[in-house]
Amino acid sequence: MSIYFSGGFKRSAGVISAISKQLKLINLKPVKKIQVQFDPFHENAATARDFIFHITTPKVSETNLSCAVKTIVVCDRSEPEIKIDLGDAGSVKFLANNLTVLEILQQFNKHISSKVKPEPVLSVSSKLETKRKGRK
């Protein structure tokens, strides 16, 4: 007697692929400054360090070259925190003590990257029309 298969044949690609998917969606245009503060001796400091690693990759930093990333290393056993100053006089603070890097990136995309207005896409026909007008 056999049991019928009910489910997907494909496995999840894992946490690393989920992080890379979130990194592709990140846009730093509304951000002025990112400030990451952590104590290297805190048990959850790895989350803040991993976030710094992912946010300073060239592909992410090209979205806003004027965005400053500041790292503050303290030695007072404080919890890691990430403060993001926005261009429209607001700020967002993530307390990264009980969060994973994936959760921080998801919330970053939800609250900050969603503020970016999409750029208007020029169609091929409008480009041809501008070239034709320039020839006359």
Side-chain angles (χ1 to χ4, degrees):
M1 180 171 211
S2 64
I3 300 173
Y4 293 107
F5 180 77
S6 63
F9 289 106
K10 205 172 174 186
R11 287 189 189 188
S12 170
V15 175
I16 295 171
S17 68
I19 289 173
S20 66
K21 180 181 176 183
Q22 293 298 321
L23 284 172
K24 289 177 185 176
L25 299 174
I26 283 185
N27 197 336
L28 297 176
K29 285 185 181 175
V31 179
K32 269 192 202 175
K33 181 174 149 182
I34 299 173
Q35 184 175 354
V36 182
Q37 177 179 336
F38 66 93
D39 179 11
F41 300 111
H42 195 273
E43 59 269 2
N44 293 330
T47 302
R49 291 193 329 252
D50 290 342
F51 177 77
I52 294 169
F53 171 76
H54 291 300
I55 210 75
T56 57
T57 58
K59 202 166 197 177
V60 173
S61 60
E62 283 177 1
T63 58
N64 186 1
L65 296 175
S66 63
C67 177
V69 179
K70 184 175 182 181
T71 305
I72 301 172
V73 179
V74 295
C75 189
D76 57 357
R77 303 287 183 180
S78 63
E79 297 177 353
E81 64 181 40
I82 301 164
K83 184 179 178 189
I84 301 165
D85 295 329
L86 303 174
D88 58 355
S91 66
V92 177
K93 185 185 246 185
F94 293 111
L95 298 176
N97 189 24
N98 295 322
L99 296 175
T100 63
V101 176
L102 179 60
E103 293 170 341
I104 293 171
L105 292 174
Q106 286 172 341
Q107 294 301 317
F108 189 93
N109 283 330
K110 182 179 176 183
H111 296 292
I112 296 166
S113 295
S114 63
K115 291 185 176 191
V116 177
K117 297 175 185 170
E119 296 178 5
V121 179
L122 291 175
S123 64
V124 176
S125 61
S126 65
K127 288 181 182 179
L128 291 174
E129 289 174 8
T130 56
K131 285 184 180 180
R132 289 180 186 163
K133 289 179 183 177
R135 289 183 185 170
K136 290 183 181 178

